[in-house]
Amino acid sequence: MLIDWFTVGAQAINFLILVWLLKRFLYKPILDAIDAREKGIAAERADADAKKAEAQKERDEFQHKNQDFDRQRAALVKTATDEANAERQRLLDEANKETEALRAKRREALRNEQRNLSQAILRWTQNEVFAIARKSLADLATASLEERMCEVFVQRLRGLTGTAKEQLATALQALTRPVPVRSAFDLPAAQRVAIQNAINETFSADIHIQFETVPELISGIELSANGQKVAWSIGEYLGTLEKSAGELLHKEEKADEKPAPKPEAKAEVKSQPTKSATKPDLQGEAQPNPKP
Amino acid sequence: MRLSPDQWIFWQLDAFKLNATIAFTWAIMLVLTVGSILVTRRLSTELKRSRWQNLLEIVVTSIQSQLKDVGLRDPRKYIGFVGTLFLFVGVASLCTVIPGFDTPTGSLSTTAALALCVFVAVPLFGVASQGIWGYLKSYAEPTILMLPFNIISELSRTLALAVRLFGNMMSGAMIIAILLTITPFIFPIFMTALGLLTGMVQAYIFSILAAVYIAAATQNDDTKPVPAAKT
């Protein structure tokens, strides 16, 4: 008999004991260790996933901050550019204003210079004309300038005709006080008589006149009554000369203003020296040519 | 010549006797238990671990994955029984290379005991899983006409389990013994190596068949086996 039933029972019991022993000392500890390890690995993976998620979040946050920074930087650059442009415009406007002020100042200075020059020319011309006339009359007629002026005045009085003569006669008659005859110098008695005679003869009346000395007349004689006037004076010629000199200066001023400098260069405009050479050679040009 | 280690008796008192089958079984039990205790007393739960722990983890996880492949959804519940079957039969086969060792699985008493354990365990697991009525109903499926055939099948497969393992183990030992008398020295070595292979194959077959029977007994209609994931 190949089967021993006692052995069968013993082996069955042995096997069941072995099952219990291996469960106790092999399967349970090994499976528990595997579980613990898998749990640890899962925890580490979860931790790694959490860290990865956190890193991703921080990366996103960093990118977001970076974008914000770029936007802020662009905004700051734009603001700075705008401010710089505004400042540039303000400086340009200031420079323009300063240039304009300088130009006005220069124009005013030129005008003053012109005025002074005109007055100087006027004075110079008066003196020159007076000297030339005096010298010419002395040379030609051996008479004094005052005599010659009286002669010319008398000639003008006598030469009055027509409407001018009638208007003056009316004015003289209407005058209740003595008729003023003004001269730049004290007339000698001979000239005063000559003038009185000429007036009486011209207007066929005995007109009472009063001689006055007025230096502003500039070597001349003037008779005036109620707005009517007969006069001769170097002042007339000097007036013409002054006008010519004034026009000349005006032309020069315009010529100076034409090449206006650019706004940026306005601050660098240097004041040009006043052309003193524009002073005309009045000695040659101021030859009076008084008409009789 | 002994056909079975049962006939090698060391001590006997009436019906009680200590034969080679029981003695070598105790030896195998001692080796397995002491080895397990030695390895598992310092288990590491970290990634770094000893090579013996690695070996046992490989063995245990392999058995677990095989049970899952068979269709057992909760392999931990069955690994104690099926895994011990495999380890006992496998270690008994490996020990045939030890001179003087007579493998206990070469005894029909041992294989019959193991088959009887399977024969008892299968309905126990089935009842635990489906309930007694659910388990008994499985014998009358698909029709009541199949009841006798199912009962015959239950008995015959237990007998087949016992005889298959006994035949293979006994024949291997017998062949080696015969060849030693005919052609000593070299040829028996090849046969011993072949015996190791067939012994491991028989251990695998025995435990897998037990697992299949348990899986068939524990399956409900609503818990069809799912293809287990290969690990």
Side-chain angles (χ1 to χ4, degrees), chain A residues 181-232:
Chain A
V181 174
R182 299 184 187 91
S183 62
F185 44 83
D186 288 338
L187 291 171
Q191 271 84 35
R192 290 188 179 190
V193 172
I195 289 169
Q196 180 72 59
N197 291 338
I199 290 171
N200 292 343
E201 287 169 7
T202 302
F203 297 104
S204 305
D206 186 12
I207 297 169
H208 183 65
I209 60 175
Q210 183 183 351
F211 290 96
E212 296 174 1
T213 303
V214 181
E216 286 79 15
L217 280 176
I218 313 172
S219 301
I221 302 170
E222 180 187 88
L223 180 149
S224 62
N226 285 349
Q228 301 297 319
K229 189 170 82 170
V230 176
W232 183 89

Side-chain angles (χ1 to χ4, degrees), chain A residues 1-23 25-27 29-38 41 44, chain B residues 6 15-17 19 21-22 25-26 29 33 36-37 40 43-46 49 53 56-57 60-61 64 76 79 81 83-85 87-88 108-110 113-114:
Chain A
M1 184 64 183
L2 286 175
I3 293 182
D4 178 15
W5 289 107
F6 170 76
T7 309
V8 170
Q11 286 296 79
I13 292 168
N14 282 339
F15 177 73
L16 292 178
I17 292 171
L18 184 62
V19 168
W20 181 83
L21 286 172
L22 289 188
K23 258 191 174 178
F25 295 112
L26 179 63
Y27 303 121
I30 291 287
L31 289 174
D32 286 347
I34 290 172
D35 285 347
R37 188 181 305 118
E38 284 180 352
I41 291 170
E44 282 179 8
Chain B
D6 292 355
F16 295 95
K17 53 190 169 189
N19 54 27
T21 304
I22 298 172
T25 300
W26 284 352
M29 286 169 67
T33 307
S36 297
I37 290 170
T40 57
L43 281 177
S44 164
T45 56
E46 304 299 320
R49 51 201 182 268
Q53 184 181 346
L56 289 189
E57 283 188 9
V60 171
T61 52
Q64 204 175 14
R76 288 195 180 198
I79 194 171
F81 182 77
T84 306
L85 274 178
L87 286 178
F88 176 71
L108 188 58
S109 301
T110 305
L114 295 179

Side-chain angles (χ1 to χ4, degrees), chain A residues 234-255:
Chain A
I234 293 175
E236 292 178 14
Y237 302 105
L238 291 178
T240 309
L241 188 59
E242 187 180 6
K243 191 179 174 185
S244 300
E247 285 175 356
L248 183 63
L249 286 172
H250 191 61
K251 278 181 186 173
E252 284 183 358
E253 186 185 3
K254 279 190 175 176

Side-chain angles (χ1 to χ4, degrees), chain A residues 168-185:
Chain A
L168 188 58
T170 309
L172 290 172
Q173 286 169 3
L175 207 63
T176 54
R177 57 186 175 83
V179 176
V181 174
R182 299 184 187 91
S183 62
F185 44 83

Side-chain angles (χ1 to χ4, degrees), chain A:
Chain A
M1 184 64 183
L2 286 175
I3 293 182
D4 178 15
W5 289 107
F6 170 76
T7 309
V8 170
Q11 286 296 79
I13 292 168
N14 282 339
F15 177 73
L16 292 178
I17 292 171
L18 184 62
V19 168
W20 181 83
L21 286 172
L22 289 188
K23 258 191 174 178
R24 169 77 177 76
F25 295 112
L26 179 63
Y27 303 121
K28 191 171 183 299
I30 291 287
L31 289 174
D32 286 347
I34 290 172
D35 285 347
R37 188 181 305 118
E38 284 180 352
K39 204 173 172 184
I41 291 170
E44 282 179 8
R45 282 196 63 180
D47 188 41
D49 287 345
K51 281 183 180 171
K52 192 179 172 186
E54 192 180 352
Q56 181 70 26
K57 189 183 167 190
E58 284 182 2
R59 182 172 161 272
D60 292 345
E61 195 176 344
F62 175 73
Q63 279 185 343
H64 188 63
K65 280 185 181 173
N66 232 1
Q67 287 171 352
D68 283 349
F69 175 70
D70 285 346
R71 274 197 294 272
Q72 285 178 0
R73 189 179 59 180
L76 284 176
V77 167
K78 188 177 180 302
T79 308
T81 307
D82 292 347
E83 284 178 358
N85 285 336
E87 182 65 15
R88 178 173 169 273
Q89 191 59 42
R90 190 183 66 75
L91 290 174
L92 282 176
D93 291 346
E94 266 185 20
N96 279 338
K97 282 179 187 171
E98 284 179 9
T99 308
E100 203 58 43
L102 278 174
R103 185 185 291 173
K105 199 173 171 185
R106 184 168 167 270
R107 195 181 296 123
E108 184 61 30
L110 201 60
R111 200 171 289 122
N112 288 337
E113 191 181 357
Q114 178 190 358
R115 198 178 302 118
N116 292 338
L117 192 60
S118 298
Q119 287 174 358
I121 290 170
L122 186 61
R123 282 193 300 275
W124 180 81
T125 306
Q126 283 174 358
N127 295 333
E128 285 295 312
V129 167
F130 192 73
I132 289 166
R134 182 187 295 274
K135 190 171 185 299
S136 301
L137 290 172
D139 289 347
L140 292 174
T142 64
S144 70
L145 180 61
E146 288 80 8
E147 285 174 357
R148 186 54 189 159
M149 279 192 297
C150 280
E151 284 177 14
V152 172
F153 184 69
V154 167
Q155 281 176 4
R156 282 201 176 179
L157 277 174
R158 290 184 191 281
L160 283 173
T161 56
T163 312
K165 186 180 177 180
E166 285 173 7
Q167 286 176 349
L168 188 58
T170 309
L172 290 172
Q173 286 169 3
L175 207 63
T176 54
R177 57 186 175 83
V179 176
V181 174
R182 299 184 187 91
S183 62
F185 44 83
D186 288 338
L187 291 171
Q191 271 84 35
R192 290 188 179 190
V193 172
I195 289 169
Q196 180 72 59
N197 291 338
I199 290 171
N200 292 343
E201 287 169 7
T202 302
F203 297 104
S204 305
D206 186 12
I207 297 169
H208 183 65
I209 60 175
Q210 183 183 351
F211 290 96
E212 296 174 1
T213 303
V214 181
E216 286 79 15
L217 280 176
I218 313 172
S219 301
I221 302 170
E222 180 187 88
L223 180 149
S224 62
N226 285 349
Q228 301 297 319
K229 189 170 82 170
V230 176
W232 183 89
S233 166
I234 293 175
E236 292 178 14
Y237 302 105
L238 291 178
T240 309
L241 188 59
E242 187 180 6
K243 191 179 174 185
S244 300
E247 285 175 356
L248 183 63
L249 286 172
H250 191 61
K251 278 181 186 173
E252 284 183 358
E253 186 185 3
K254 279 190 175 176
D256 285 345
E257 286 178 358
K258 269 182 186 176
K262 291 179 181 176
E264 286 80 4
K266 276 177 184 175
E268 298 175 1
V269 172
K270 291 178 183 173
S271 58
Q272 292 180 350
T274 312
K275 286 186 180 177
S276 58
T278 52
K279 199 172 175 180
D281 188 3
L282 297 173
Q283 186 105 18
E285 292 178 1
Q287 298 292 335
N289 190 16
K291 290 180 181 176

